[in-house]
Amino acid sequence: GKETGIQLLFKGASVVNKSNQAVSTVSALKDKVVILYFAGAWAEPCKEFTKVLRAFFEKVSEGGEGPVVVFVTNDQSREEYEAHWASDSFHPDWLSVEYSIDVDEIAKRFNVEKIPGVVVVNSEGQAAVENGRDELLDLWDKNKGKFEVETCAELWNEWRKKAGDWRSSAGNVLGGAEGTTVAADDKEALRAARLAAMEKRFGGGGGAAPKAAAAPAPAPAAAPAAAPR
């Protein structure tokens, strides 16, 4: 079939499943809401956040038709990417953009400067939700570190509507990021502390090394150099 904007987004890089078999983006992404997940094994916060995204994916998929999650690597070498993608942390149904010289162009297109990053895209390959990470972490905190089908449905329906999915139900708006009274600076501080706590639980420690920073890690180019953009 004819490629649309979302398929053209991956030009220059193959999209594979967990078995590393190439998949057709035309059929795999047709009429789907796509979540791009930007992460790298070198960044400690990504390890714990992957669990949060996976829990959300499992709950919304359990409650109906879920998204297609596509992992966009920020790993520093092909070997690091292959080991990362082979890990059990990623859901078996997720897809990945294979490591290539072009993969960093996707992060640049959506101005992803810190990882982990979550961008919900519409059928034209445009960002419908630019900061899905913080919206997920807010929901995670609101529900005391767990997800249920019902609590995920509201955010999922909101994302589907923003992505232009006509099948999304109207749902009930119960508040959320826009209705909060917490100042933006305070929210950013809370998120930094939360990622630091995730890191500590995972065993990352609280040292002064850049990769153990409390705030989301700057996303370098997916190349041997590790300098922030």
Side-chain angles (χ1 to χ4, degrees):
K2 185 180 179 182
E3 291 184 323
T4 60
I6 185 63
Q7 285 98 36
L8 292 172
L9 185 62
F10 303 116
K11 278 292 188 184
S14 298
V15 175
V16 298
N17 60 20
K18 269 301 258 141
S19 300
N20 287 315
Q21 298 170 321
V23 300
S24 164
T25 53
V26 175
S27 57
L29 307 182
K30 181 178 173 60
D31 298 326
K32 300 285 188 180
V33 176
V34 177
I35 294 177
L36 300 180
Y37 177 40
F38 300 86
W42 61 270
E44 289 290 339
C46 294
K47 296 178 181 177
E48 195 69 22
F49 183 79
T50 299
K51 298 177 184 177
V52 175
L53 180 59
R54 178 169 176 158
F56 177 78
F57 172 81
E58 289 173 348
K59 290 303 179 185
V60 297
S61 298
E62 181 183 333
E65 185 175 342
V68 174
V69 176
V70 180
F71 167 53
V72 184
T73 180
N74 193 252
D75 293 306
Q76 300 301 289
S77 68
R78 175 175 289 278
E79 292 73 24
E80 188 176 297
Y81 157 73
E82 289 174 351
H84 192 190
W85 180 234
S87 72
D88 292 335
S89 58
F90 296 104
H91 192 280
D93 292 341
W94 291 2
L95 304 177
S96 172
V97 181
E98 256 194 328
Y99 187 91
S100 75
I101 197 167
D102 301 307
V103 73
D104 192 49
E105 294 301 315
I106 302 173
K108 288 179 180 177
R109 173 169 178 167
F110 294 106
N111 299 313
V112 176
E113 296 178 347
K114 293 181 178 180
I115 56 174
V118 171
V119 177
V120 181
V121 295
N122 61 23
S123 61
E124 300 305 314
Q126 300 166 331
V129 177
E130 294 183 334
N131 195 357
R133 179 196 68 216
D134 287 349
E135 292 187 23
L136 277 177
L137 288 176
D138 286 342
L139 184 64
W140 185 253
D141 277 358
K142 182 180 175 182
N143 291 281
K144 298 179 171 57
K146 64 179 181 179
F147 284 146
E148 300 295 342
V149 174
E150 293 78 10
T151 57
C152 292
E154 179 195 346
L155 180 61
W156 174 225
N157 277 327
E158 182 182 324
W159 284 5
R160 290 175 70 181
K161 284 187 285 186
K162 287 181 177 179
D165 186 350
W166 58 270
R167 295 163 298 179
S168 61
S169 62
N172 295 314
V173 178
L174 302 177
E178 292 182 2
T180 184
T181 57
V182 181
D185 289 346
D186 291 341
K187 289 184 73 175
E188 189 61 37
L190 285 170
R191 288 170 186 139
R194 179 170 48 209
L195 285 167
M198 281 183 176
E199 201 175 296
K200 191 167 291 186
R201 285 201 306 275
F202 198 82
K211 290 181 184 178
R229 277 197 251 282

